[in-house]
Coordinates of all heavy atoms in Angstrom, one line a residue:
L159 N 116.8 55.2 172.1 CA 118.0 55.9 171.6 C 118.9 56.4 172.7 O 119.0 57.6 173.0 CB 117.7 57.0 170.7 CG 117.1 56.7 169.3 CD1 116.6 57.9 168.6 CD2 118.2 56.1 168.4
P160 N 119.5 55.5 173.5 CA 120.1 55.9 174.7 C 121.4 56.7 174.5 O 121.9 57.5 175.4 CB 120.5 54.6 175.4 CG 120.5 53.6 174.4 CD 119.5 54.0 173.4
V161 N 122.0 56.6 173.3 CA 123.2 57.3 173.0 C 123.1 58.1 171.7 O 122.6 57.5 170.7 CB 124.4 56.3 172.9 CG1 125.7 57.1 172.5 CG2 124.6 55.6 174.2
G162 N 123.4 59.4 171.7 CA 123.5 60.1 170.5 C 122.3 60.7 169.9 O 122.3 61.2 168.8
S163 N 121.1 60.7 170.6 CA 119.9 61.1 170.0 C 119.9 62.6 169.8 O 119.4 63.1 168.8 CB 118.7 60.7 170.8 OG 118.8 61.3 172.1
S164 N 120.5 63.4 170.7 CA 120.6 64.8 170.5 C 121.4 65.2 169.3 O 121.1 66.1 168.5 CB 121.1 65.5 171.7 OG 122.4 65.1 172.1
H165 N 122.5 64.5 169.1 CA 123.3 64.7 167.9 C 122.6 64.3 166.6 O 122.6 65.1 165.6 CB 124.6 63.8 168.0 CG 125.4 63.8 166.7 ND1 126.1 64.8 166.3 CD2 125.4 62.8 165.7 CE1 126.7 64.5 165.1 NE2 126.3 63.3 164.7
M166 N 121.8 63.3 166.7 CA 121.0 62.9 165.5 C 120.0 64.0 165.2 O 119.8 64.3 164.0 CB 120.2 61.6 165.8 CG 121.1 60.3 165.8 SD 120.0 58.8 166.0 CE 121.3 57.6 166.2
L167 N 119.3 64.6 166.2 CA 118.4 65.6 166.0 C 119.0 66.8 165.3 O 118.5 67.3 164.3 CB 117.7 66.0 167.3 CG 116.8 67.2 167.2 CD1 115.6 66.8 166.4 CD2 116.3 67.7 168.6
R168 N 120.2 67.2 165.8 CA 120.9 68.4 165.2 C 121.2 68.1 163.7 O 121.0 68.9 162.8 CB 122.1 68.7 165.9 CG 121.9 69.3 167.3 CD 123.1 69.9 167.9 NE 124.2 68.9 168.1 CZ 124.3 68.2 169.3 NH1 123.4 68.4 170.2 NH2 125.2 67.3 169.4
A169 N 121.6 66.8 163.4 CA 122.0 66.5 162.1 C 120.7 66.5 161.2 O 120.8 66.9 160.0 CB 122.6 65.1 162.1
I170 N 119.6 66.0 161.7 CA 118.4 65.9 160.9 C 117.9 67.3 160.6 O 117.6 67.6 159.4 CB 117.3 65.2 161.7 CG1 117.6 63.7 161.8 CG2 115.9 65.4 161.1 CD1 116.8 63.0 162.9
L171 N 117.9 68.2 161.6 CA 117.4 69.6 161.4 C 118.3 70.4 160.4 O 117.8 71.2 159.6 CB 117.3 70.3 162.7 CG 116.3 69.7 163.7 CD1 116.4 70.5 165.0 CD2 114.9 69.7 163.1
A172 N 119.6 70.1 160.4 CA 120.5 70.8 159.5 C 120.6 70.2 158.2 O 120.9 70.8 157.2 CB 121.9 70.8 160.2
G173 N 120.4 68.8 158.1 CA 120.7 68.1 156.9 C 119.5 67.8 155.9 O 119.7 67.5 154.8
A174 N 118.3 68.0 156.4 CA 117.1 67.7 155.6 C 117.0 68.8 154.6 O 117.3 70.0 154.9 CB 115.9 67.6 156.4
D175 N 116.6 68.5 153.4 CA 116.3 69.5 152.4 C 115.1 70.3 152.6 O 114.9 71.5 152.2 CB 116.3 68.9 151.0 CG 117.6 68.3 150.6 OD1 117.8 67.1 150.9 OD2 118.4 69.0 149.9
A176 N 114.1 69.7 153.3 CA 112.9 70.4 153.7 C 112.3 69.8 155.0 O 112.4 68.5 155.2 CB 111.8 70.2 152.6
L177 N 111.9 70.6 155.9 CA 111.3 70.2 157.1 C 109.8 70.5 157.1 O 109.4 71.6 156.7 CB 112.0 70.9 158.3 CG 113.5 70.6 158.5 CD1 114.1 71.6 159.5 CD2 113.7 69.2 159.0
V178 N 109.0 69.6 157.6 CA 107.5 69.8 157.6 C 107.0 69.5 159.0 O 107.4 68.5 159.6 CB 106.9 68.8 156.6 CG1 105.3 68.9 156.6 CG2 107.4 69.1 155.1
G179 N 106.1 70.3 159.4 CA 105.3 70.0 160.7 C 103.8 69.9 160.3 O 103.3 70.6 159.4
V180 N 103.1 69.0 161.0 CA 101.7 68.7 160.7 C 100.8 69.7 161.3 O 99.6 69.7 161.0 CB 101.3 67.3 161.1 CG1 102.2 66.3 160.3 CG2 101.4 67.1 162.6
S181 N 101.3 70.6 162.2 CA 100.5 71.6 162.9 C 101.3 72.8 163.2 O 102.6 72.7 163.2 CB 99.8 71.0 164.1 OG 100.8 70.8 165.1
T182 N 100.7 73.9 163.6 CA 101.5 75.0 164.0 C 102.3 74.7 165.2 O 103.5 75.2 165.3 CB 100.5 76.2 164.3 OG1 99.8 76.5 163.1 CG2 101.3 77.5 164.7
A183 N 101.8 74.0 166.1 CA 102.5 73.6 167.3 C 103.8 72.8 167.0 O 104.9 73.1 167.6 CB 101.7 72.8 168.3
V184 N 103.7 71.9 166.0 CA 104.9 71.1 165.6 C 105.8 72.0 164.9 O 107.1 72.0 165.1 CB 104.4 70.0 164.7 CG1 105.7 69.2 164.2 CG2 103.6 69.0 165.5
V185 N 105.3 72.9 164.0 CA 106.2 73.8 163.3 C 107.0 74.7 164.3 O 108.2 74.9 164.1 CB 105.4 74.7 162.3 CG1 106.2 75.9 161.8 CG2 104.9 73.9 161.2
E186 N 106.4 75.2 165.3 CA 107.1 76.0 166.3 C 108.1 75.2 167.0 O 109.2 75.8 167.3 CB 106.0 76.7 167.2 CG 105.2 77.7 166.5 CD 104.0 78.2 167.4 OE1 103.9 77.6 168.5 OE2 103.4 79.2 167.1
D187 N 107.8 74.0 167.4 CA 108.7 73.1 168.1 C 110.0 72.9 167.2 O 111.1 73.1 167.7 CB 108.1 71.8 168.3 CG 107.9 71.4 169.8 OD1 107.9 72.4 170.6 OD2 107.8 70.2 170.1
V188 N 109.8 72.6 165.9 CA 110.9 72.3 165.1 C 111.7 73.6 164.8 O 112.9 73.6 164.8 CB 110.4 71.6 163.8 CG1 111.6 71.4 162.8 CG2 109.7 70.3 164.1

Side-chain angles (χ1 to χ4, degrees):
L159 285 169
V161 178
S163 61
S164 59
H165 169 75
M166 287 185 188
L167 176 64
R168 289 193 297 271
I170 291 165
L171 297 177
D175 295 87
L177 297 169
V178 177
V180 300
S181 68
T182 300
V184 175
V185 167
E186 291 174 352
D187 244 22
V188 176

